Every structure is written in C-alpha cells, then in structure tokens.
C-alpha cells in the first residue's frame, strides 16, 4: 500500500465491548452486508474445547470461570485462522483483542500482511443490562444465528429464522456468576483498549443500548465510510 489510493478494498474492524454488548450479533450482520469474515476467538476457543486439542484442554476451566485464556494460546489460534485465504478480503475481530498484549500482536500480524485495523468500534452499553442480555442468549445449533428470550425471538417459536433448525444451544458460561467475573475481566483488561485505539485515531463509539437494527445502521455507516 502506498497511501495514495482513495478507496480501501478491505476493511478490518475490531468490535470492542463487554460480554453481551452485541459483538457477535453485529459481526454476523456485517459479514452478510459487506462480505467480511467474522473472526471470534470465543468461537475458535469453544471449537478447540469441543475438539479436545491441547489449547482446548488448557482453555476449558479458564472459560468456565469467566477469566481470560492466556495470550499465547489465543494469539496462536487467531494467527492460524487469520492466515487462511478468505481473511484477505477483510475481517471483523469479535472478542479479540482483549488485552494490550493481544492488541500489539494483532497490529504486528496485520503489518506483516501489509494491512492494518481500519476501525475499532466500541459498543457502549450499561453493565447492569448485560446480565439480562447474557442470561437470555441462545444460538441455533444449525447455523449459529444468535437469539434472545426477550429481545430477539425466532419468528416461529422453536424454529431458526435463518436455517429452519429446531435445535438450539445455550453456553455453559452464560450464567449469572460467570457473567460477573467476565465483566470484571473486561473492565480490568479489555476496556483500556478503548484508549489504545483512540490514540491510533481509529476509534469509533456506538450506542449499543439501542435496538439491534439501530446499532446495525450505525455500524453500516462506519464501514461504508471506511471503504469510501
Ligand atoms: P456478545 O457477542 O457481545 O457477547 P451477542 O451478540 O451474543 O453479544 O448478544 C448477547 C445477547 O443479547 C444475544 O442474545 C442477542 O440476541 C442480544 N442482543 C444483541 N444486541 C442487542 C441489542 N442491541 N438489544 C437487545 N438485545 C441484544
Ligand atoms: P463474550 O463476548 O460473551 O464474553 P466470547 O465468546 O467472546 O464471549 O468469550 C468467551 C470466553 O472465551 C471468555 O470469557 C474467555 O474465557 C475466552 N476468550 C474469548 N476470546 C478471548 C481472548 N481474546 N482472550 C482471552 N480469552 C478469550
Ligand atoms: Zn439456524
């Protein structure tokens, strides 16, 4: 990149926000709307746990208590996925980075690939509302579409709008005790990244207490601007 081009061909976005802020919900919408790839370290770690890999074995208990998995494990998993060819068209980082060390590692990985983070979007929410969001969350087992008992029910009870499956999952760590620990970890280790990206001039804040579609409109406008 020589810095003289006017149109970016790829947007690489970081979605920042506490558990329940809507990162996964919004990442899926941006994936559909802009052909970007959602890269969720939470999903990658849950897949590693399910597959019983060494990384998964090390991560399982940490995730169950709501603490952060070690930077080494998370960065290694992320690096592998980011190296796959589909990521070249632009990535939405969902739940990564979560520590300063991860943010620095991400900058280095992007630079190696001749790329950079176009925008870091902070989904701004009230902690108090996050327990309700997380306690009511469930996901389609067929396609991964996210739902909520009160805020986003399937149009037909018990049937996924997207793929028609009638099987749904609830995460083991989506319980009130673990949520409290996850929010604590967010404030101690992840919230400082808002300043990290602010200093780099790529930070955008969005009111994520608004309805899902309203938040989505704000994010779409940010991505359109990044690609203009
Ligand atoms: P995160 O990935 O940040 O942990 P999710 O996208 O999984 O969050 O959202 C958490 C839960 O809250 C899900 O059940 C989702 O359907 C619901 N949700 C997401 N965004 C909103 C919103 N703006 N208003 C109400 N509920 C929401
Ligand atoms: P949420 O956004 O609802 O907190 P995630 O699916 O992003 O959920 O993460 C679930 C759990 O996986 C976290 O509580 C943490 O234990 C682990 N995890 C996910 N991403 C990271 C990361 N980047 N660094 C460390 N741990 C992570
Ligand atoms: Zn589905």
């Amino acid at each position: 990149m020589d810095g003289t081009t006017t149109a970016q061909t790829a947007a690489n976005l970081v979605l920042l926000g506490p558990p329940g802020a809507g990162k996964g919900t919004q990442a899926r919408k941006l994936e559909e709307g802009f052909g970007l790839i959602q890269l969720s370290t939470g999903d990658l770690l849950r897949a590693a746990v399910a597959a019983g890999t060494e990384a998964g074995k090390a991560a399982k208990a940490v995730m169950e208590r709501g603490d952060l998995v070690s930077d080494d494990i998370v960065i290694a998993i992320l690096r592998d996925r980011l190296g796959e060819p589909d990521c070249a068209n632009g990535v939405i980082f969902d739940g990564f980075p979560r520590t300063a060390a991860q943010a620095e590692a991400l900058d280095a990985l992007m630079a190696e690939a001749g790329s950079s983070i176009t925008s870091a979007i902070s989904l701004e929410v009230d902690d108090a509302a996050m327990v309700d969001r997380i306690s009511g969350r469930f996901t389609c087992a067929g396609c991964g579409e996210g739902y909520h008992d009160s805020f986003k029910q399937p149009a037909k009870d018990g049937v996924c709008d997207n793929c028609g499956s009638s099987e749904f999952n609830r995460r083991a760590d989506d319980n009130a005790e673990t949520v409290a620990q996850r929010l604590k970890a967010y404030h101690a280790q992840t919230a400082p990244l808002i300043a990290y990206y602010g200093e780099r001039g790529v930070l955008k804040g969005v009111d994520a207490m608004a309805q899902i579609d309203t938040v989505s409109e704000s994010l779409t406008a940010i991505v359109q601007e990044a690609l203009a």
Side-chain angles (χ1 to χ4, degrees):
M1 270 185 279
D2 60 9
T4 58
T5 45
T6 50
Q8 289 260 356
T9 50
N12 295 298
L13 314 175
V14 167
L15 292 186
L16 287 171
K23 301 181 296 295
T25 302
Q26 297 300 334
R28 277 179 79 89
K29 286 177 172 281
L30 290 170
E31 214 176 18
E32 285 164 22
F34 292 95
L36 303 170
I37 296 294
Q38 174 189 13
L39 224 157
S40 155
T41 43
D43 286 348
L44 293 172
L45 287 166
R46 280 184 288 279
V49 170
T53 64
E54 284 309 309
K57 282 182 204 155
K60 188 169 188 284
V62 180
M63 292 171 77
E64 278 167 4
R65 9 173 238 277
D67 287 331
L68 294 186
V69 175
S70 78
D71 288 332
D72 288 352
I73 289 180
V74 176
I75 291 165
I77 284 188
L78 190 277
R79 183 191 294 121
D80 287 351
R81 179 65 186 89
L82 198 54
E84 290 174 30
D86 59 341
C87 289
N89 296 328
V91 176
I92 310 155
F93 295 97
D94 161 8
F96 181 93
R98 264 170 148 102
T99 64
Q102 291 179 19
E104 284 158 17
L106 178 59
D107 280 344
L109 282 172
M110 298 302 286
E112 263 172 46
S115 188
S116 64
I117 296 299
T118 348
S119 319
I121 304 168
S122 172
L123 299 179
E124 296 163 349
V125 291
D126 303 337
D127 263 21
M130 293 306 100
V131 178
D132 281 346
R133 282 213 191 160
I134 288 176
S135 309
R137 165 161 65 187
F138 61 99
T139 306
C140 172
C143 70
E145 183 72 14
Y147 291 97
H148 192 279
D149 291 328
S150 316
F151 309 135
K152 189 189 166 193
Q153 295 159 326
K156 184 165 184 282
D157 200 24
V159 181
C160 175
D161 297 343
N162 196 38
C163 76
S165 167
S166 52
E167 255 189 76
F168 296 91
N169 295 323
R170 286 181 194 259
R171 275 167 49 182
D173 60 341
D174 278 351
N175 59 70
E177 306 83 72
T178 308
V179 169
Q181 184 56 32
R182 285 158 61 196
L183 284 169
K184 233 165 112 182
Y186 171 79
H187 287 292
Q189 291 167 276
T190 309
L193 298 184
I194 295 172
Y196 178 94
Y197 287 109
E199 283 159 18
R200 280 157 184 75
V202 294
L203 182 72
K204 301 267 175 5
V206 164
D207 173 15
M209 291 306 293
Q211 301 225 331
I212 292 176
D213 287 344
T214 310
V215 178
S216 172
E217 282 164 22
S218 306
L219 292 182
T220 299
I222 291 172
V223 180
Q224 274 168 345
E225 202 189 305
L227 290 170

